[in-house]
Amino acid sequence: QVQLVESGGGLVQAGDSLRLSCTASERSFSSYAVGWFRQAPGKEREFVAANNWSGGYAHYADSVKGRFTISRDNAKNTVYLQMNSLKFEDTAVYYCAAQLYGSGWSDRSVYMYWGQGTQVTVSS
């Protein structure tokens, strides 16, 4: 069982930056692909970004391309989501999730483990 803990959320203004972290409880975390999802009030959880176990491949939702960057430090069991040029519509609870398959990046059903989420609020 891999436990994931997100951190780094907060209240920022439009145009600001935030870096989210997702830290795992297991050293085997380096074997997992990791995705970031978000859920705004009244909306379904949606895919944001994902990378493979090494961090050498990344995939992004069109809505965040060019603004968000996913990266990882396997020595620290941590995956990061750098969010720049934040917009009001980025406001949501952000979740990280882990999967072993390294495919189906935007498909929530392939992710085996989920964190509890961290709130990101962007004021306009």
Side-chain angles (χ1 to χ4, degrees):
Q1 183 82 10
V2 177
Q3 295 184 347
L4 305 176
V5 178
E6 302 95 336
S7 62
L11 172 63
V12 297
Q13 293 185 334
D16 286 351
S17 298
L18 273 178
R19 188 178 78 161
L20 305 183
S21 299
C22 171
T23 301
S25 59
E26 301 290 332
R27 297 182 69 86
S28 61
F29 184 61
S30 61
S31 300
Y32 290 81
V34 173
W36 285 96
F37 291 76
R38 66 187 182 187
Q39 187 166 18
K43 295 187 177 181
E44 289 194 357
R45 194 170 299 189
E46 65 175 5
F47 171 75
V48 175
N51 67 5
N52 67 342
W53 67 273
S54 70
Y57 173 83
H59 181 62
Y60 298 93
D62 288 342
S63 59
V64 305
K65 277 181 183 177
R67 299 189 299 123
F68 291 11
T69 302
I70 187 171
S71 62
R72 65 192 298 160
D73 184 342
N74 285 334
K76 296 182 178 179
N77 291 346
T78 301
V79 173
Y80 304 99
L81 184 68
Q82 178 68 42
M83 306 186 296
N84 298 330
S85 302
L86 282 162
K87 303 176 181 180
F88 174 75
E89 50 265 40
D90 294 319
T91 295
V93 177
Y94 283 71
Y95 300 89
C96 67
Q99 55 138 312
L100 279 172
Y101 305 106
S103 62
W105 306 105
S106 61
D107 183 353
R108 288 176 291 171
S109 68
V110 305
Y111 290 85
M112 304 156 61
Y113 304 108
W114 290 82
Q116 293 300 306
T118 184
Q119 176 71 48
V120 172
T121 303
V122 184
S123 62
S124 58

